């Protein structure tokens, strides 16, 4: 069974990320609405997903609303390469980033009201938190707040520059 924690400072992502958890993530960017993204996190055979408007939060002051969408089969959403254009529920989208994701040690899970995770992708490197906004009310599409909680200091400028490239 793979390790759910993010790689430590002494380990490279190649040693601990690739294939270690079987958890992949994909961030899609809308072709028609370039500030709209869709975050997909693989949980078993499904991809949990959220639509994020106004771009991905790439600094610690930014917060974005993320609307939870119905999960889809992971096999149908595994990307072949960055930049590839696909047809999603909301229209055409390109693969903006992909990589592995990890649950932050002992902090909630995708079923809790606060979900902390780490992304190790080609562009995104760091920790994010999804916080359920409307408490325990049952809704068809729950609303969450997506917040950047930590990032690699060395990749911060690269992330912001490459987002709009």
């Amino acid at each position: 069974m793979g390790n759910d924690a993010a790689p430590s400072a002494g380990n490279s992502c190649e040693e601990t990320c690739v294939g270690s958890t079987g958890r992949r993530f994909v961030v899609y960017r809308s072709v028609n609405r370039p500030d709209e993204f869709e975050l997909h996190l693989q949980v078993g055979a499904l991809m949990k997903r959220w639509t994020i408007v106004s771009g991905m939060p790439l600094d610690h002051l930014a917060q974005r609303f993320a609307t939870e969408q119905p999960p889809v089969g992971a096999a149908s959403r595994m990307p072949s390469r960055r930049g590839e254009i696909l047809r999603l529920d909301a229209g055409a989208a390109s693969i903006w980033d992909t990589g592995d994701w990890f649950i932050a040690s002992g902090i909630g899970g995708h079923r809790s009201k606060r979900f902390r995770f780490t992304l190790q992708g080609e562009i995104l490197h760091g920790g994010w938190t999804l916080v359920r906004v409307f408490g325990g009310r049952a809704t068809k599409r729950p609303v969450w707040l997506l917040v950047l909680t930590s990032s690699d200091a060395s990749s911060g400028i690269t992330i912001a520059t490459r987002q709009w490239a």
Side-chain angles (χ1 to χ4, degrees):
M1 177 148 298
N3 180 9
D4 286 347
S8 66
N11 296 332
S12 71
C13 186
E14 287 76 23
E15 294 170 341
T16 57
C17 293
V18 179
S20 63
T21 65
R23 291 187 178 142
R24 300 286 294 160
F25 82 88
V26 183
V27 176
Y28 295 97
R29 185 175 184 185
S30 173
V31 171
N32 299 326
R33 294 171 292 227
D35 62 340
E36 184 173 295
F37 290 77
E38 202 168 288
L39 170 65
H40 292 220
L41 300 177
Q42 182 181 3
V43 178
L46 295 175
M47 295 296 267
K48 298 284 290 178
R49 57 194 189 118
W50 294 264
T51 299
I52 303 149
V53 293
S54 302
M56 290 291 291
L58 300 176
D59 66 59
H60 298 287
L61 300 176
Q63 300 175 354
R64 302 288 189 263
F65 283 111
T67 305
E68 189 172 338
Q69 303 296 330
V72 294
S76 68
R77 296 290 170 101
M78 281 297 152
S80 59
R81 66 183 186 283
R82 234 181 108 234
E84 179 181 359
I85 305 292
L86 300 171
R87 170 82 47 210
L88 299 180
D89 298 344
S94 65
I95 297 168
W96 186 69
D97 194 18
T98 185
D100 291 297
W101 74 275
F102 306 86
I103 296 173
S105 305
I107 308 294
H110 67 279
R111 292 186 182 112
S112 69
K113 293 180 183 177
R114 181 177 296 257
F115 174 35
R116 291 185 60 193
F117 58 94
T118 301
L119 300 178
Q120 292 292 329
E122 296 177 39
I123 298 173
L124 300 173
H125 304 278
W128 279 263
T129 301
L130 277 164
V131 180
R132 186 131 179 210
V133 175
F134 297 117
R137 284 186 10 205
T139 61
K140 274 186 155 180
R141 294 191 177 166
V143 177
W144 299 72
L145 197 60
L146 180 63
V147 182
L148 175 67
T149 54
S150 66
S151 63
D152 290 350
S154 63
S155 66
I157 293 172
T158 305
I159 291 172
T161 303
R162 291 181 69 186
Q163 178 186 14
W164 306 110

